[in-house]
Amino acid sequence: MASGVALRAATAVGPSGPLKIWFQQPATNWETQALPIGNGRLGAMIFGGTDRERIQLNEDSLWSGGPRDTNNPEALEHLPEVRRLLFAGQPAEAEKLANARLMGKPMTVKPYQSLGNLRLEFPGHEAAQDYRRELDLETAAVRVSYRVGEVRYTRELFASHPDQVIVIRLTCSQPGGLTLFALLDREQDFLSATRQPDRLMMHGQIDRGAGLEYQVNVRALAEGGQVFAPTGRLEVRSANAATLILSAATNFGGRDAVEGADRDLEAATAKPLDRLWRDHLADYQPLFRRVALDLGGSDAAQQPTDQRLAALQQGGVDPQLLSLYFQFGRYLLISSSRPGDLPANLQGLWAEGMKPPWNADYHLNINVQMNYWPAEVANLAECHLPLFELIESLRVPGRRTAKIHYGAGGWVAHHLTDVWGFTTPADGAGWGLWPMGAAWLCQHLWEHYAFNGDRSFLAQRAYPAMKEAAEFILDYLVEDDKGRLVSGPSSSPENRYRLPNGKIGWLCMGPSMDSQIIRDLFNHCVAASEILKIDGAFRERLRGTLGRLPPIQIGKHGQIMEWSEDYDEPEPGHRHVSHLFALHPGQEISRARPPELAQAARRTLERRLAHGGGHTGWSRAWILNFWARLGDGEQAYENLLALLRKSTAPNLFDLHPPFQIDGNFGGTAGVCEMLLQSHAGELELLPAKPAAWADGSVRGLRARGGFEVDLEWRSGQLASAQIESVLGQSCRVRTPVPVRVEVAGRRSPPRTTQLEPNLIEFPTRARARYVLTPAR
């Protein structure tokens, strides 16, 4: 390890200000103040204490429990009776039977756990001054700086994806002025030890010795001074500078935890520090820098982030904070979801304690899907891949559950899962007897193809899983008394309805969201089979079934009906707005197709919000996306502001509360939807730009059909657009003003067809760039 190296990179400044989250004091709260770093697999939350630093650690595979068969062999026998009771208007009786006979055994998952803590002690640093703690999104590094007397102390931390370690660089302005002690600990199931001359280790087996094994290594490399390794801690004394390298691994998937952690540590410490830093930047920055957003600057950009957020919450205006929030969502996805690693869970990668909220599991009734809404449009398609691996891992256990619980083919998953293949109903019938998890997940497989056009991915990865999910649905549907094919027993996720006789129910037959998800899945399967020229008979069976599903219906309040009958609900401001799946993330409802459904969707949102809806972070983020799809930039903007004002912590983490990362990702996706949409068979530029964003630009957004888009607007109007064609497909574009089209680097414009006012289509060549400017 080379000595005398300080970490340096280009100043992190976005188009309208620094891309830094920063504070003038250490964190005292994990959820709202600590700062996250991560490399997809290893994560850390940094508090930045001066005399006592806590660096809380995570490793994405450290889940309690293990593979188990939770299928319930009694379920299939009692399924017809539950359906009969629901058709007969007896939801309480149906739910009682379902809770007793249809749920998984057991009907719970085990939690994702914290890896532990690296604690650093700095004797004599209690009276620090001139303090600053920051997360630089441009470099994916946290920096802590302060002064004790006349001596300046600095810590710089980053999580390297290429080297699979966390690096902590410590420097001081006075030669020989750095002394620190390092310890590793955990709430339970751990043993720490040292190895001479410079290594600290922590090893354990969770679940009181019955679960996964893990290993954490820390090596101290000092420049000047000395390193000691007495029992229980590392000591660096009187050094000029020091570097701590942390590695960690588990035995998940049959790996050797000790061997893995040792290998990563040895490889990383063999490289010079500046090489570790350069490799980290060379890996991270090409991903992060694909997209740049400028919504305008403000004087507030020079203030600490907690003060900026407080000012916004008091009604202030800070467009650069919105840009920072947008890019923070992209940073979190890069940091928590990399190819070869596990997907982002309810808290991404970062979770505190042995039993975090909702076990930090994978909720499949919106939350894990929302995590990946920005993956394609915000130009991070690689970060989508871990979700596809999770989908693949659920197919085998999902087939057993489909057969045992429903007597059906294909594969099924319900409202939550874990890393061990959990696919049975969980948490009680009202919450967990919702077998649409697999069908909704499959939308992400299709979307990846729609954005990137990879036919081999469609044929080998996407379509097989989609087809099997559709096969389950075909066997699961039953006929109601109106001759329609309906799902059930199921629910409108987590919401209840009131029958005319006053009875309250969770379970039902044919909730609107189910039918919308099923149409979405079936239509994508039909399209995929046509593209691949396979499964003609299966395609026709899907088309026949589509014609018998309950249509989207408008109820007595002018709203989209949430259930197959026009029931009222005990909680009209419920956080889930499941019956608008067809608006977002589905594509069945758009402003023009058909307009009466778009108006009913608007009415649905108005009623939800009038009764207090959107009170959780992720729910507010979903509402932001709904308004953007409806083309209402002012409502989208107000809900984006509400997301930050009501459901965002000072460190910009989303709050349910407590912390859930889905709202961060949903917020980032919502900003994308405000500026670019491509779900309706055309690219629409600035579809929901609010008046508050009078001048701005965005670079690098992706659109379905294989397009990359840069936009600039001035005085509220489109100034220019550049569209790069990745696949060479025809480009249909809806613009806010009439435009002319040119090909970058060529004199002759493409042949352009005017389809409607402000809707044009032109052929493209792969990798050519097309410049759109207002027609004069």
Side-chain angles (χ1 to χ4, degrees):
M1 176 72 66
S3 62
V5 175
L7 306 184
R8 293 288 182 266
T11 302
V13 178
S16 55
L19 292 175
K20 294 182 179 181
I21 300 169
W22 71 280
F23 303 88
Q24 293 177 313
Q25 67 282 332
T28 59
N29 182 277
W30 182 94
E31 179 176 69
T32 62
Q33 298 172 353
L35 292 173
I37 59 173
N39 65 9
R41 185 179 66 87
L42 293 178
M45 292 287 284
I46 297 147
F47 284 69
T50 56
D51 57 323
R52 293 179 181 272
E53 167 70 290
R54 178 190 175 200
I55 301 170
Q56 184 269 325
L57 305 169
N58 286 103
E59 203 276 353
D60 72 347
S61 66
L62 194 63
W63 285 68
S64 181
R68 55 187 177 152
D69 186 355
T70 60
N71 289 293
N72 184 350
E74 299 178 321
L76 183 58
E77 176 186 352
H78 298 278
L79 177 62
E81 178 62 9
V82 172
R83 284 173 169 160
R84 187 194 69 78
L85 290 168
L86 290 172
F87 278 133
Q90 297 177 273
E93 294 81 356
E95 288 158 23
K96 181 178 179 181
L97 180 59
N99 275 315
R101 302 297 186 182
L102 267 58
M103 305 306 294
K105 289 190 172 184
M107 57 176 176
T108 57
V109 297
K110 298 291 185 70
Y112 174 61
Q113 293 189 359
S114 168
L115 180 61
N117 304 287
L118 172 62
R119 301 185 189 272
L120 306 179
E121 298 178 4
F122 300 89
H125 289 211
E126 295 83 358
Q129 298 175 304
D130 192 18
Y131 181 93
R132 181 177 173 116
R133 173 173 58 98
E134 67 181 34
L135 168 60
D136 185 342
L137 302 186
E138 181 73 17
T139 61
V142 165
R143 189 172 190 266
V144 178
S145 176
Y146 56 88
R147 184 170 48 81
V148 178
E150 298 302 316
V151 182
R152 169 67 60 181
Y153 292 90
T154 302
R155 297 174 218 151
E156 294 161 296
L157 305 92
F158 63 93
S160 168
H161 179 70
D163 290 290
Q164 289 296 303
V165 293
I166 292 173
V167 179
I168 306 164
R169 176 66 174 169
L170 307 108
T171 60
C172 69
S173 63
Q174 176 178 296
L178 180 64
T179 293
L180 68 96
F181 310 138
L183 308 89
L184 286 167
D185 65 25
R186 196 172 185 271
E187 289 183 30
Q188 62 191 42
D189 303 327
F190 80 97
L191 178 67
S192 62
T194 54
R195 180 189 302 167
Q196 298 293 340
D198 55 12
R199 188 173 298 192
L200 175 65
M201 300 167 291
M202 182 170 69
H203 182 82
Q205 187 172 13
I206 66 173
D207 298 340
R208 308 298 183 185
L212 286 173
E213 294 182 22
Y214 67 88
Q215 174 80 13
V216 184
N217 295 330
V218 178
R219 186 178 178 189
L221 301 152
E223 296 160 26
Q226 293 179 291
V227 178
F228 301 93
T231 302
R233 72 181 190 184
L234 284 179
E235 298 181 359
V236 176
R237 293 185 179 272
S238 303
N240 303 325
T243 303
L244 305 181
I245 308 290
L246 183 146
S247 66
T250 76
N251 67 337
F252 179 77
R255 298 172 292 200
D256 186 299
V258 175
E259 179 183 315
D262 287 352
R263 180 183 63 249
D264 290 341
L265 184 69
E266 294 303 320
T269 54
K271 296 173 69 171
L273 174 62
D274 61 343
R275 177 67 183 275
L276 290 172
W277 176 241
R278 291 198 311 270
D279 289 350
H280 161 69
L281 293 179
D283 169 76
Y284 170 79
Q285 288 185 331
L287 291 169
F288 184 76
R289 289 178 170 176
R290 287 175 182 171
V291 174
L293 175 65
D294 179 5
L295 298 177
S298 64
D299 294 339
Q302 306 307 316
Q303 300 298 314
T305 306
D306 52 346
Q307 295 179 23
R308 297 175 69 182
L309 184 64
L312 188 75
Q313 291 168 343
Q314 295 300 314
V317 176
D318 191 345
Q320 201 276 336
L321 183 60
L322 302 183
S323 298
L324 180 66
Y325 180 85
F326 167 83
Q327 291 287 24
F328 183 53
R330 298 183 67 250
Y331 165 83
L332 291 174
L333 190 57
I334 297 169
S335 301
S336 64
S337 185
R338 290 293 200 102
D341 298 328
L342 293 170
N345 60 44
L346 275 175
Q347 295 191 311
L349 175 61
W350 305 274
E352 186 179 34
M354 301 298 100
K355 197 176 189 305
W358 297 284
N359 299 310
D361 62 25
Y362 300 112
H363 266 54
L364 307 183
N365 62 2
I366 186 173
N367 310 95
V368 76
Q369 290 92 339
M370 184 180 285
N371 284 1
Y372 288 91
W373 284 354
E376 301 295 337
V377 67
N379 215 335
L380 295 172
E382 301 93 329
C383 296
H384 217 164
L385 300 182
L387 182 66
F388 306 153
E389 295 299 328
L390 177 69
I391 292 170
E392 190 65 24
S393 76
L394 295 176
R395 288 176 64 191
V396 170
R399 290 176 195 138
R400 283 182 46 78
T401 299
K403 182 177 181 180
I404 293 171
H405 279 247
Y406 300 99
W411 72 286
V412 66
H414 292 78
H415 93 294
L416 60 80
T417 190
D418 57 16
V419 298
W420 306 114
F422 187 93
T423 55
T424 52
D427 290 353
W431 296 72
L433 196 54
W434 179 79
M436 291 291 121
W440 191 348
L441 285 172
C442 284
Q443 184 189 63
H444 286 258
L445 296 168
W446 174 260
E447 286 287 84
H448 186 69
Y449 169 75
F451 276 86
N452 298 286
D454 185 343
R455 289 174 66 99
S456 64
F457 172 83
L458 181 66
Q460 298 169 22
R461 298 292 304 277
Y463 181 66
M466 292 161 56
K467 180 182 178 182
E468 273 199 286
E471 287 172 337
F472 166 77
I473 298 294
L474 288 169
D475 290 346
Y476 171 65
L477 294 171
V478 294
E479 189 173 44
D480 69 3
D481 60 2
K482 298 178 181 178
R484 304 176 301 184
L485 292 176
V486 298
S487 60
S490 187
S491 66
S492 187
E494 303 182 20
N495 201 6
R496 298 170 297 159
Y497 59 94
R498 181 185 289 113
L499 291 170
N501 61 13
K503 291 183 179 180
I504 304 297
W506 297 72
L507 289 183
C508 64
M509 299 298 293
S512 297
M513 184 188 219
D514 282 16
S515 297
Q516 293 171 20
I517 290 174
I518 292 167
R519 271 192 294 272
D520 188 83
L521 173 65
F522 282 13
N523 282 323
H524 291 157
C525 285
V526 167
S529 70
E530 289 177 332
I531 292 166
L532 299 173
K533 296 180 172 56
I534 57 175
D535 290 338
F538 180 68
R539 182 192 319 143
E540 293 311 309
R541 186 182 176 196
L542 292 178
R543 283 177 169 149
T545 305
L546 280 165
R548 297 187 61 191
L549 296 174
I552 298 174
Q553 301 174 85
I554 299 175
K556 57 180 175 287
H557 303 294
Q559 89 289 2
I560 299 292
M561 285 168 47
E562 189 161 356
W563 294 275
S564 60
E565 303 296 335
D566 196 8
Y567 300 131
D568 284 325
E569 51 194 324
E571 189 183 349
H574 197 270
R575 61 194 174 275
H576 284 261
V577 198
S578 303
H579 44 318
L580 293 190
F581 173 93
L583 176 63
H584 185 281
Q587 305 171 11
E588 195 173 352
I589 298 175
S590 69
R591 276 164 281 155
R593 190 190 62 204
E596 62 271 17
L597 292 183
Q599 183 58 39
R602 174 179 288 273
R603 179 61 183 147
T604 303
L605 286 174
E606 292 169 346
R607 291 192 75 245
R608 266 294 198 266
L609 290 169
H611 289 89
H615 50 275
T616 68
W618 64 262
S619 178
R620 182 69 66 178
W622 200 3
I623 290 169
L624 158 62
N625 282 271
F626 287 141
W627 284 120
R629 284 283 174 96
L630 288 172
D632 193 326
E634 301 313 310
Q635 285 288 352
Y637 178 65
E638 288 303 316
N639 281 275
L640 176 60
L641 291 178
L643 178 59
L644 273 80
R645 287 171 173 165
K646 299 179 179 180
S647 300
T648 299
N651 61 1
L652 300 191
F653 266 173
D654 174 71
L655 298 175
H656 182 286
F659 164 52
Q660 276 187 203
I661 205 166
D662 42 15
N664 287 106
F665 295 134
T668 293
V671 172
C672 294
E673 291 282 342
M674 294 169 74
L675 300 176
L676 175 68
Q677 295 178 20
S678 60
H679 60 283
E682 61 191 37
L683 280 65
E684 185 170 8
L685 310 185
L686 305 180
K689 185 193 69 61
W693 297 349
D695 301 295
S697 64
V698 67
R699 173 179 53 78
L701 296 183
R702 296 294 303 275
R704 295 166 185 84
F707 300 100
E708 187 165 317
V709 180
D710 303 345
L711 300 169
E712 183 177 358
W713 59 96
R714 293 288 176 263
S715 301
Q717 294 296 322
L718 178 70
S720 68
Q722 292 196 39
I723 301 174
E724 180 179 352
S725 177
V726 178
L727 303 175
Q729 296 187 5
S730 179
C731 183
R732 181 175 294 189
V733 187
R734 187 177 297 274
T735 58
V737 295
V739 296
R740 65 173 181 269
V741 184
E742 298 175 315
V743 186
R746 296 174 68 93
R747 292 184 177 181
S748 57
R751 184 180 68 258
T752 302
T753 303
Q754 189 83 38
L755 303 175
E756 296 175 11
N758 297 348
L759 178 65
I760 60 172
E761 186 170 10
F762 53 89
T764 72
R765 294 181 295 106
R767 293 302 172 186
R769 292 183 70 85
Y770 297 83
V771 181
L772 283 62
T773 53
R776 302 300 181 192

